[in-house]
Amino acid sequence: MNIKNICITGAAGNIAYSLIFRVLSNLPFKNTDKINLTLLDITQSQKSLIGLRYEVEDCAFSTLNSIEVTDNAENAFQESDYIIMVGAKPRSKGMERSDLILDNANIFKTQALIIDKVCSPSTKVIVVGNPANTNALILNYNTPSIPNRNITSLMKLDQNRAKSILAEKINEQVEDIQQMIIWGNHSTTQVPDLSNCLLNAEQINVDDIWIQNTFIPKVQKRGGEIIEFRGLSSAASAASAIYDHINIIDNGSNSWESLGIMTSGEYDIESGLMFSLPLNVTTEGYQVIKDLKIDTYIKTLIKLSEKELLKERDIVKSYLP
Ligand code: NAD
Ligand code: LMR
């Protein structure tokens, strides 16, 4: 029997409450029969985590081999095949994700040092807690024993949003849209780029005014819009995107994907940032899709997102070795 060890941080929070049941209902991992699930949260959340454990047990999932709840990160991370890093403060109305930067930087630095100490280099880490790209940067720089390629940040929620908004506009099915790209930061400077999108292998024609005045700002501001209406940040859709992200990394994908990865000079973007780029992902890893033509408008927006990430990197410089 094939069993994987999965750790979720921030397990007593809103995203985890959706993610755990989604993952156990239908494992997104290849050739995996069951998982050992470790749920990590702070000491004050342990009572609530016990209640959550009871709920998971009450589902009698055939995919669950064991479940453990803990506030001890060292025990939680040891022997993990995947660590899904959700544990962080979310923003509330009127805040930008970058307003969380110093609150959450400390969590990611502390946990990075533990991961570096106790995890094997094959461990895969997915960063969700905001500001996700800069938290992933802190994590990446502080885990020299884990290859950069094994640390990614979540951009799939943005890609799903972009596809869904485009599908509605052109009155087509979301699954028929391919090659949607998100460039840059998971923030309001992100760049949803539909210029390469295909609908069942045919080019899609939508007017530039809609792209620039409606499509791009709507995707960029969707997280804030959800907070405005729900009073809380997205949780079920974020969990669904995390599920997709795991699936893509573990099983590969036939479509173009956008994940936050460590840059090394692609498309003239500064090296050493966690930046969303268009990727082909296989079970062997990912490759950046090269030589795409980028129009001037999109190029200008990509530069703004790069500038924001450079600024965020500067703010957290005391957390980088
Ligand atoms: P939440 O407040 O409901 O849950 C966060 C949980 O993290 C809490 O249970 C808290 O106790 C826990 N936590 C705090 N510090 C911790 C630590 N050091 N170790 C372990 N756990 C810790 O928040 P949520 O709605 O689940 O969102 C979690 C994070 O995900 C937020 O930062 C949010 O902004 C972010 N988010 C990112 C995306 C994305 O696309 N990248 C999407 C949605 C939300
Ligand atoms: C989102 O995009 O929904 C999340 O990053 C939460 C937020 O703060 O917007």
Side-chain angles (χ1 to χ4, degrees), residues 99-163:
D99 294 334
L100 302 166
I101 207 160
L102 291 174
D103 282 331
N104 289 338
N106 205 23
I107 298 177
F108 283 82
K109 166 99 190 232
T110 309
Q111 294 188 341
L113 298 178
I114 299 171
I115 289 173
D116 195 54
K117 186 172 139 206
V118 303
C119 289
S120 105
S122 62
T123 310
K124 299 219 166 117
V125 186
I126 300 170
V127 178
V128 178
N130 276 320
N133 302 55
T134 295
N135 289 336
L137 187 86
I138 294 173
L139 197 94
N140 223 322
Y141 277 50
N142 287 290
T143 49
S145 70
I146 310 280
N148 289 343
R149 305 177 67 76
N150 285 2
I151 299 173
T152 52
S153 61
L154 185 73
M155 301 297 299
K156 187 66 182 170
L157 179 55
D158 306 296
Q159 200 192 27
N160 285 344
R161 286 169 173 165
K163 273 192 181 183

Short mmCIF file of all heavy atoms in Angstrom, two decimals, residues 99-163:
data_model
loop_
_atom_site.label_atom_id
_atom_site.label_comp_id
_atom_site.label_asym_id
_atom_site.label_seq_id
_atom_site.Cartn_x
_atom_site.Cartn_y
_atom_site.Cartn_z
N ASP A 99 0.03 44.23 3.72
CA ASP A 99 -0.05 44.77 5.09
C ASP A 99 0.22 43.69 6.14
O ASP A 99 0.42 43.98 7.32
CB ASP A 99 -1.44 45.39 5.35
CG ASP A 99 -1.68 46.62 4.48
OD1 ASP A 99 -0.69 47.27 4.10
OD2 ASP A 99 -2.85 46.91 4.19
N LEU A 100 0.19 42.41 5.73
CA LEU A 100 0.41 41.31 6.67
C LEU A 100 1.88 40.93 6.78
O LEU A 100 2.25 40.04 7.53
CB LEU A 100 -0.34 40.05 6.18
CG LEU A 100 -1.84 40.17 5.97
CD1 LEU A 100 -2.34 38.97 5.16
CD2 LEU A 100 -2.54 40.21 7.32
N ILE A 101 2.69 41.65 5.99
CA ILE A 101 4.03 41.13 5.72
C ILE A 101 4.85 40.87 6.98
O ILE A 101 5.43 39.80 7.13
CB ILE A 101 4.74 42.07 4.72
CG1 ILE A 101 5.77 41.32 3.91
CG2 ILE A 101 5.36 43.27 5.35
CD1 ILE A 101 6.15 42.06 2.62
N LEU A 102 4.86 41.85 7.90
CA LEU A 102 5.74 41.66 9.05
C LEU A 102 5.12 40.72 10.08
O LEU A 102 5.82 39.99 10.77
CB LEU A 102 6.16 42.99 9.66
CG LEU A 102 7.10 43.77 8.72
CD1 LEU A 102 7.42 45.15 9.23
CD2 LEU A 102 8.40 43.01 8.43
N ASP A 103 3.76 40.69 10.15
CA ASP A 103 3.09 39.74 11.05
C ASP A 103 3.44 38.31 10.66
O ASP A 103 3.70 37.46 11.50
CB ASP A 103 1.56 39.87 10.94
CG ASP A 103 1.06 41.07 11.71
OD1 ASP A 103 1.70 41.43 12.70
OD2 ASP A 103 0.03 41.65 11.31
N ASN A 104 3.42 38.06 9.36
CA ASN A 104 3.55 36.67 8.92
C ASN A 104 4.98 36.25 8.60
O ASN A 104 5.28 35.05 8.59
CB ASN A 104 2.62 36.41 7.72
CG ASN A 104 1.14 36.40 8.16
OD1 ASN A 104 0.85 36.18 9.33
ND2 ASN A 104 0.23 36.64 7.25
N ALA A 105 5.87 37.23 8.39
CA ALA A 105 7.26 36.90 8.04
C ALA A 105 7.91 36.04 9.13
O ALA A 105 8.63 35.09 8.84
CB ALA A 105 8.07 38.18 7.84
N ASN A 106 7.59 36.40 10.36
CA ASN A 106 8.18 35.69 11.49
C ASN A 106 7.79 34.21 11.50
O ASN A 106 8.60 33.34 11.75
CB ASN A 106 7.69 36.39 12.75
CG ASN A 106 8.64 36.17 13.87
OD1 ASN A 106 9.81 35.88 13.65
ND2 ASN A 106 8.13 36.25 15.10
N ILE A 107 6.50 33.96 11.21
CA ILE A 107 6.02 32.57 11.18
C ILE A 107 6.82 31.78 10.12
O ILE A 107 7.29 30.67 10.37
CB ILE A 107 4.52 32.51 10.77
CG1 ILE A 107 3.65 33.24 11.80
CG2 ILE A 107 4.05 31.07 10.55
CD1 ILE A 107 2.16 33.29 11.42
N PHE A 108 6.99 32.39 8.95
CA PHE A 108 7.63 31.65 7.85
C PHE A 108 9.12 31.46 8.08
O PHE A 108 9.66 30.41 7.73
CB PHE A 108 7.28 32.30 6.50
CG PHE A 108 5.88 31.92 6.09
CD1 PHE A 108 4.79 32.61 6.59
CD2 PHE A 108 5.64 30.81 5.30
CE1 PHE A 108 3.49 32.22 6.29
CE2 PHE A 108 4.35 30.41 4.99
CZ PHE A 108 3.27 31.13 5.48
N LYS A 109 9.76 32.44 8.70
CA LYS A 109 11.20 32.27 9.00
C LYS A 109 11.37 31.14 10.02
O LYS A 109 12.19 30.24 9.86
CB LYS A 109 11.76 33.59 9.53
CG LYS A 109 13.11 33.50 10.18
CD LYS A 109 14.23 33.90 9.26
CE LYS A 109 15.59 33.56 9.83
NZ LYS A 109 16.50 34.66 9.85
N THR A 110 10.56 31.19 11.10
CA THR A 110 10.69 30.18 12.15
C THR A 110 10.44 28.78 11.58
O THR A 110 11.19 27.84 11.84
CB THR A 110 9.64 30.48 13.27
OG1 THR A 110 9.78 31.84 13.64
CG2 THR A 110 9.82 29.60 14.47
N GLN A 111 9.38 28.68 10.78
CA GLN A 111 9.04 27.34 10.27
C GLN A 111 10.04 26.87 9.21
O GLN A 111 10.32 25.68 9.09
CB GLN A 111 7.59 27.32 9.77
CG GLN A 111 6.63 27.55 10.97
CD GLN A 111 5.17 27.38 10.67
OE1 GLN A 111 4.75 27.42 9.52
NE2 GLN A 111 4.37 27.19 11.70
N ALA A 112 10.61 27.83 8.47
CA ALA A 112 11.63 27.47 7.47
C ALA A 112 12.82 26.82 8.15
O ALA A 112 13.34 25.80 7.67
CB ALA A 112 12.08 28.72 6.71
N LEU A 113 13.26 27.39 9.27
CA LEU A 113 14.44 26.85 9.94
C LEU A 113 14.18 25.42 10.43
O LEU A 113 15.05 24.56 10.37
CB LEU A 113 14.86 27.77 11.10
CG LEU A 113 15.26 29.20 10.67
CD1 LEU A 113 15.60 30.06 11.88
CD2 LEU A 113 16.42 29.19 9.67
N ILE A 114 12.93 25.19 10.84
CA ILE A 114 12.58 23.83 11.29
C ILE A 114 12.53 22.87 10.09
O ILE A 114 13.07 21.76 10.15
CB ILE A 114 11.23 23.85 12.05
CG1 ILE A 114 11.34 24.74 13.30
CG2 ILE A 114 10.81 22.44 12.44
CD1 ILE A 114 10.03 25.02 14.00
N ILE A 115 11.93 23.33 9.00
CA ILE A 115 11.86 22.48 7.80
C ILE A 115 13.27 22.13 7.35
O ILE A 115 13.59 20.98 7.02
CB ILE A 115 11.07 23.21 6.68
CG1 ILE A 115 9.59 23.27 7.04
CG2 ILE A 115 11.27 22.53 5.32
CD1 ILE A 115 8.72 24.11 6.11
N ASP A 116 14.14 23.13 7.35
CA ASP A 116 15.52 22.89 6.90
C ASP A 116 16.21 21.85 7.78
O ASP A 116 16.99 21.04 7.30
CB ASP A 116 16.30 24.21 6.94
CG ASP A 116 17.58 24.10 6.16
OD1 ASP A 116 17.51 23.72 4.97
OD2 ASP A 116 18.65 24.37 6.73
N LYS A 117 15.85 21.87 9.06
CA LYS A 117 16.51 20.96 10.00
C LYS A 117 15.96 19.53 9.91
O LYS A 117 16.72 18.57 9.93
CB LYS A 117 16.29 21.52 11.42
CG LYS A 117 17.01 20.78 12.51
CD LYS A 117 16.90 21.52 13.83
CE LYS A 117 16.66 20.54 14.95
NZ LYS A 117 15.97 21.10 16.09
N VAL A 118 14.63 19.40 9.78
CA VAL A 118 14.07 18.05 9.96
C VAL A 118 13.55 17.38 8.67
O VAL A 118 13.25 16.19 8.70
CB VAL A 118 12.91 18.03 11.01
CG1 VAL A 118 13.39 18.58 12.34
CG2 VAL A 118 11.67 18.77 10.53
N CYS A 119 13.45 18.14 7.57
CA CYS A 119 12.81 17.53 6.38
C CYS A 119 13.84 16.99 5.40
O CYS A 119 14.97 17.48 5.33
CB CYS A 119 11.94 18.56 5.67
SG CYS A 119 10.47 18.96 6.60
N SER A 120 13.40 16.03 4.60
CA SER A 120 14.28 15.51 3.56
C SER A 120 14.21 16.47 2.36
O SER A 120 13.21 17.17 2.16
CB SER A 120 13.83 14.10 3.17
OG SER A 120 13.18 14.13 1.93
N PRO A 121 15.26 16.50 1.53
CA PRO A 121 15.26 17.41 0.37
C PRO A 121 14.14 17.14 -0.62
O PRO A 121 13.82 17.99 -1.44
CB PRO A 121 16.62 17.13 -0.29
CG PRO A 121 17.43 16.44 0.73
CD PRO A 121 16.52 15.76 1.68
N SER A 122 13.51 15.99 -0.53
CA SER A 122 12.43 15.70 -1.49
C SER A 122 11.08 16.26 -1.03
O SER A 122 10.10 16.21 -1.77
CB SER A 122 12.30 14.19 -1.68
OG SER A 122 11.96 13.61 -0.45
N THR A 123 11.03 16.84 0.17
CA THR A 123 9.76 17.40 0.66
C THR A 123 9.29 18.53 -0.25
O THR A 123 10.08 19.38 -0.66
CB THR A 123 9.96 17.99 2.08
OG1 THR A 123 10.60 17.02 2.87
CG2 THR A 123 8.64 18.40 2.71
N LYS A 124 8.00 18.53 -0.56
CA LYS A 124 7.45 19.61 -1.38
C LYS A 124 6.64 20.55 -0.48
O LYS A 124 5.86 20.07 0.36
CB LYS A 124 6.57 19.05 -2.48
CG LYS A 124 7.37 18.13 -3.40
CD LYS A 124 6.97 18.30 -4.83
CE LYS A 124 7.99 17.65 -5.73
NZ LYS A 124 7.48 16.55 -6.51
N VAL A 125 6.86 21.83 -0.65
CA VAL A 125 6.20 22.82 0.21
C VAL A 125 5.38 23.78 -0.65
O VAL A 125 5.88 24.31 -1.64
CB VAL A 125 7.25 23.63 1.01
CG1 VAL A 125 6.56 24.55 2.01
CG2 VAL A 125 8.23 22.71 1.73
N ILE A 126 4.13 23.95 -0.27
CA ILE A 126 3.24 24.86 -1.01
C ILE A 126 2.86 25.99 -0.05
O ILE A 126 2.32 25.74 1.03
CB ILE A 126 1.98 24.12 -1.50
CG1 ILE A 126 2.38 22.98 -2.44
CG2 ILE A 126 1.01 25.10 -2.19
CD1 ILE A 126 1.25 22.04 -2.79
N VAL A 127 3.14 27.23 -0.45
CA VAL A 127 2.87 28.36 0.44
C VAL A 127 1.57 29.04 0.03
O VAL A 127 1.39 29.44 -1.12
CB VAL A 127 4.04 29.37 0.42
CG1 VAL A 127 3.72 30.56 1.31
CG2 VAL A 127 5.32 28.69 0.88
N VAL A 128 0.69 29.18 1.03
CA VAL A 128 -0.63 29.77 0.81
C VAL A 128 -0.79 31.06 1.62
O VAL A 128 -1.33 32.05 1.14
CB VAL A 128 -1.73 28.75 1.22
CG1 VAL A 128 -3.12 29.36 1.06
CG2 VAL A 128 -1.60 27.47 0.42
N GLY A 129 -0.31 31.04 2.86
CA GLY A 129 -0.46 32.19 3.77
C GLY A 129 0.08 33.46 3.10
O GLY A 129 1.14 33.44 2.47
N ASN A 130 -0.62 34.56 3.26
CA ASN A 130 -0.27 35.82 2.58
C ASN A 130 0.70 36.70 3.37
O ASN A 130 0.70 36.65 4.59
CB ASN A 130 -1.56 36.62 2.32
CG ASN A 130 -2.22 36.17 1.05
OD1 ASN A 130 -1.55 35.89 0.07
ND2 ASN A 130 -3.55 36.10 1.07
N PRO A 131 1.48 37.53 2.67
CA PRO A 131 1.62 37.63 1.22
C PRO A 131 2.39 36.42 0.70
O PRO A 131 3.59 36.27 1.00
CB PRO A 131 2.38 38.94 1.01
CG PRO A 131 3.12 39.17 2.30
CD PRO A 131 2.35 38.50 3.40
N ALA A 132 1.70 35.57 -0.07
CA ALA A 132 2.19 34.21 -0.32
C ALA A 132 3.56 34.19 -1.01
O ALA A 132 4.42 33.39 -0.63
CB ALA A 132 1.16 33.46 -1.16
N ASN A 133 3.78 35.07 -1.97
CA ASN A 133 5.05 34.99 -2.70
C ASN A 133 6.22 35.38 -1.81
O ASN A 133 7.28 34.75 -1.86
CB ASN A 133 5.03 35.90 -3.95
CG ASN A 133 3.89 35.52 -4.87
OD1 ASN A 133 2.74 35.48 -4.45
ND2 ASN A 133 4.18 35.22 -6.12
N THR A 134 6.01 36.41 -1.00
CA THR A 134 7.13 36.85 -0.15
C THR A 134 7.33 35.90 1.03
O THR A 134 8.46 35.65 1.44
CB THR A 134 6.94 38.32 0.23
OG1 THR A 134 7.03 39.07 -0.99
CG2 THR A 134 7.98 38.82 1.21
N ASN A 135 6.25 35.31 1.54
CA ASN A 135 6.43 34.27 2.55
C ASN A 135 7.20 33.08 1.96
O ASN A 135 8.07 32.49 2.62
CB ASN A 135 5.08 33.79 3.08
CG ASN A 135 4.39 34.83 3.94
OD1 ASN A 135 5.05 35.70 4.51
ND2 ASN A 135 3.07 34.77 4.04
N ALA A 136 6.87 32.74 0.71
CA ALA A 136 7.57 31.64 0.05
C ALA A 136 9.04 32.00 -0.18
O ALA A 136 9.92 31.14 -0.13
CB ALA A 136 6.90 31.30 -1.28
N LEU A 137 9.28 33.28 -0.42
CA LEU A 137 10.67 33.75 -0.59
C LEU A 137 11.46 33.56 0.70
O LEU A 137 12.57 33.02 0.70
CB LEU A 137 10.65 35.23 -0.98
CG LEU A 137 12.00 35.81 -1.36
CD1 LEU A 137 12.27 35.55 -2.84
CD2 LEU A 137 12.04 37.31 -1.11
N ILE A 138 10.85 33.97 1.81
CA ILE A 138 11.50 33.81 3.12
C ILE A 138 11.79 32.33 3.36
O ILE A 138 12.87 31.93 3.78
CB ILE A 138 10.60 34.39 4.24
CG1 ILE A 138 10.46 35.89 4.08
CG2 ILE A 138 11.13 34.02 5.63
CD1 ILE A 138 9.45 36.54 5.03
N LEU A 139 10.80 31.52 3.04
CA LEU A 139 10.93 30.08 3.25
C LEU A 139 12.05 29.51 2.38
O LEU A 139 12.89 28.74 2.84
CB LEU A 139 9.60 29.43 2.88
CG LEU A 139 9.47 28.04 3.43
CD1 LEU A 139 8.75 28.11 4.75
CD2 LEU A 139 8.72 27.17 2.48
N ASN A 140 12.06 29.95 1.14
CA ASN A 140 13.04 29.43 0.19
C ASN A 140 14.47 29.80 0.60
O ASN A 140 15.36 28.95 0.61
CB ASN A 140 12.72 30.00 -1.20
CG ASN A 140 12.84 28.95 -2.26
OD1 ASN A 140 13.73 28.11 -2.20
ND2 ASN A 140 11.97 28.97 -3.24
N TYR A 141 14.67 31.06 0.97
CA TYR A 141 16.01 31.52 1.32
C TYR A 141 16.51 30.86 2.62
O TYR A 141 17.71 30.75 2.82
CB TYR A 141 16.03 33.05 1.52
CG TYR A 141 16.15 33.86 0.24
CD1 TYR A 141 15.32 33.65 -0.85
CD2 TYR A 141 17.08 34.89 0.14
CE1 TYR A 141 15.40 34.42 -2.01
CE2 TYR A 141 17.18 35.67 -1.02
CZ TYR A 141 16.34 35.43 -2.08
OH TYR A 141 16.44 36.20 -3.22
N ASN A 142 15.57 30.46 3.48
CA ASN A 142 15.98 29.91 4.78
C ASN A 142 15.95 28.38 4.82
O ASN A 142 16.02 27.80 5.90
CB ASN A 142 15.09 30.49 5.89
CG ASN A 142 15.44 31.95 6.18
OD1 ASN A 142 16.51 32.23 6.72
ND2 ASN A 142 14.58 32.85 5.78
N THR A 143 15.81 27.75 3.66
CA THR A 143 15.83 26.28 3.62
C THR A 143 16.85 25.80 2.57
O THR A 143 16.47 25.23 1.55
CB THR A 143 14.44 25.70 3.26
OG1 THR A 143 13.96 26.40 2.09
CG2 THR A 143 13.44 25.82 4.36
N PRO A 144 18.15 26.05 2.85
CA PRO A 144 19.15 25.66 1.84
C PRO A 144 19.14 24.16 1.53
O PRO A 144 19.57 23.77 0.45
CB PRO A 144 20.48 26.09 2.49
CG PRO A 144 20.17 26.37 3.93
CD PRO A 144 18.73 26.73 4.01
N SER A 145 18.62 23.35 2.44
CA SER A 145 18.65 21.90 2.18
C SER A 145 17.50 21.44 1.28
O SER A 145 17.47 20.30 0.83
CB SER A 145 18.61 21.13 3.51
OG SER A 145 17.33 21.28 4.08
N ILE A 146 16.54 22.33 1.02
CA ILE A 146 15.40 21.95 0.15
C ILE A 146 15.61 22.64 -1.21
O ILE A 146 15.76 23.87 -1.25
CB ILE A 146 14.04 22.42 0.74
CG1 ILE A 146 13.89 22.00 2.20
CG2 ILE A 146 12.86 21.98 -0.12
CD1 ILE A 146 13.48 20.59 2.46
N PRO A 147 15.61 21.90 -2.31
CA PRO A 147 15.80 22.57 -3.60
C PRO A 147 14.73 23.63 -3.84
O PRO A 147 13.56 23.41 -3.50
CB PRO A 147 15.66 21.42 -4.62
CG PRO A 147 15.75 20.16 -3.84
CD PRO A 147 15.40 20.46 -2.42
N ASN A 148 15.14 24.75 -4.46
CA ASN A 148 14.19 25.83 -4.74
C ASN A 148 12.95 25.33 -5.46
O ASN A 148 11.84 25.80 -5.23
CB ASN A 148 14.83 26.88 -5.67
CG ASN A 148 15.89 27.68 -4.97
OD1 ASN A 148 15.94 27.69 -3.74
ND2 ASN A 148 16.76 28.33 -5.72
N ARG A 149 13.16 24.37 -6.36
CA ARG A 149 12.05 23.89 -7.20
C ARG A 149 10.96 23.21 -6.39
O ARG A 149 9.86 23.03 -6.86
CB ARG A 149 12.57 22.88 -8.22
CG ARG A 149 13.69 23.39 -9.08
CD ARG A 149 14.19 22.30 -10.00
NE ARG A 149 13.21 21.91 -10.99
CZ ARG A 149 12.92 22.61 -12.08
NH1 ARG A 149 13.55 23.74 -12.30
NH2 ARG A 149 12.02 22.21 -12.93
N ASN A 150 11.30 22.78 -5.17
CA ASN A 150 10.29 22.07 -4.36
C ASN A 150 9.41 23.03 -3.57
O ASN A 150 8.50 22.60 -2.85
CB ASN A 150 10.98 21.11 -3.38
CG ASN A 150 11.47 19.88 -4.10
OD1 ASN A 150 11.32 19.78 -5.32
ND2 ASN A 150 12.04 18.94 -3.37
N ILE A 151 9.69 24.32 -3.67
CA ILE A 151 8.88 25.31 -2.94
C ILE A 151 8.14 26.17 -3.95
O ILE A 151 8.75 26.83 -4.79
CB ILE A 151 9.78 26.17 -2.03
CG1 ILE A 151 10.49 25.26 -1.02
CG2 ILE A 151 8.96 27.26 -1.34
CD1 ILE A 151 11.52 25.95 -0.16
N THR A 152 6.82 26.15 -3.88
CA THR A 152 6.00 26.94 -4.82
C THR A 152 4.96 27.72 -4.01
O THR A 152 4.60 27.33 -2.90
CB THR A 152 5.29 26.03 -5.84
OG1 THR A 152 4.60 24.99 -5.16
CG2 THR A 152 6.29 25.40 -6.81
N SER A 153 4.49 28.81 -4.62
CA SER A 153 3.40 29.54 -3.95
C SER A 153 2.14 29.47 -4.81
O SER A 153 2.20 29.30 -6.03
CB SER A 153 3.81 30.99 -3.67
OG SER A 153 4.09 31.66 -4.87
N LEU A 154 1.02 29.60 -4.12
CA LEU A 154 -0.29 29.37 -4.76
C LEU A 154 -0.69 30.54 -5.65
O LEU A 154 -0.88 31.65 -5.16
CB LEU A 154 -1.35 29.17 -3.66
CG LEU A 154 -2.74 28.81 -4.17
CD1 LEU A 154 -2.78 27.38 -4.69
CD2 LEU A 154 -3.80 28.99 -3.08
N MET A 155 -0.84 30.29 -6.95
CA MET A 155 -1.38 31.27 -7.89
C MET A 155 -2.59 30.69 -8.61
O MET A 155 -3.19 31.35 -9.46
CB MET A 155 -0.32 31.68 -8.92
CG MET A 155 0.94 32.28 -8.35
SD MET A 155 0.74 33.85 -7.46
CE MET A 155 0.08 34.94 -8.71
N LYS A 156 -2.90 29.44 -8.29
CA LYS A 156 -3.95 28.74 -9.01
C LYS A 156 -5.32 29.37 -8.80
O LYS A 156 -6.18 29.34 -9.67
CB LYS A 156 -3.96 27.27 -8.55
CG LYS A 156 -4.88 26.37 -9.32
CD LYS A 156 -4.43 26.23 -10.77
CE LYS A 156 -5.39 25.38 -11.56
NZ LYS A 156 -5.10 25.43 -13.01
N LEU A 157 -5.51 29.96 -7.61
CA LEU A 157 -6.80 30.63 -7.36
C LEU A 157 -6.99 31.77 -8.37
O LEU A 157 -8.08 31.95 -8.91
CB LEU A 157 -6.82 31.16 -5.91
CG LEU A 157 -8.07 31.90 -5.45
CD1 LEU A 157 -9.33 31.07 -5.65
CD2 LEU A 157 -7.94 32.30 -3.98
N ASP A 158 -5.91 32.50 -8.64
CA ASP A 158 -6.00 33.60 -9.60
C ASP A 158 -6.26 33.07 -11.00
O ASP A 158 -7.06 33.63 -11.75
CB ASP A 158 -4.68 34.40 -9.56
CG ASP A 158 -4.36 34.84 -8.14
OD1 ASP A 158 -5.13 35.61 -7.57
OD2 ASP A 158 -3.35 34.36 -7.57
N GLN A 159 -5.58 31.98 -11.34
CA GLN A 159 -5.77 31.41 -12.69
C GLN A 159 -7.20 30.88 -12.85
O GLN A 159 -7.84 31.09 -13.89
CB GLN A 159 -4.75 30.28 -12.90
CG GLN A 159 -4.53 29.96 -14.35
CD GLN A 159 -3.75 28.66 -14.54
OE1 GLN A 159 -3.79 27.76 -13.71
NE2 GLN A 159 -3.04 28.57 -15.65
N ASN A 160 -7.71 30.25 -11.81
CA ASN A 160 -9.10 29.75 -11.87
C ASN A 160 -10.08 30.92 -11.99
O ASN A 160 -11.05 30.86 -12.75
CB ASN A 160 -9.43 28.94 -10.61
CG ASN A 160 -8.79 27.56 -10.63
OD1 ASN A 160 -8.34 27.09 -11.67
ND2 ASN A 160 -8.73 26.90 -9.48
N ARG A 161 -9.82 31.98 -11.23
CA ARG A 161 -10.71 33.16 -11.31
C ARG A 161 -10.69 33.73 -12.72
O ARG A 161 -11.74 34.08 -13.30
CB ARG A 161 -10.22 34.23 -10.32
CG ARG A 161 -10.53 33.91 -8.88
CD ARG A 161 -9.80 34.84 -7.92
NE ARG A 161 -10.23 34.62 -6.55
CZ ARG A 161 -9.59 35.08 -5.48
NH1 ARG A 161 -8.47 35.77 -5.60
NH2 ARG A 161 -10.08 34.84 -4.27
N ALA A 162 -9.50 33.86 -13.28
CA ALA A 162 -9.36 34.46 -14.62
C ALA A 162 -10.10 33.63 -15.66
O ALA A 162 -10.81 34.17 -16.51
CB ALA A 162 -7.87 34.59 -14.96
N LYS A 163 -9.94 32.32 -15.58
CA LYS A 163 -10.62 31.44 -16.54
C LYS A 163 -12.13 31.56 -16.42
O LYS A 163 -12.85 31.60 -17.41
CB LYS A 163 -10.24 29.98 -16.27
CG LYS A 163 -9.00 29.53 -16.95
CD LYS A 163 -8.94 28.02 -16.81
CE LYS A 163 -7.72 27.45 -17.46
NZ LYS A 163 -7.70 26.00 -17.38
#
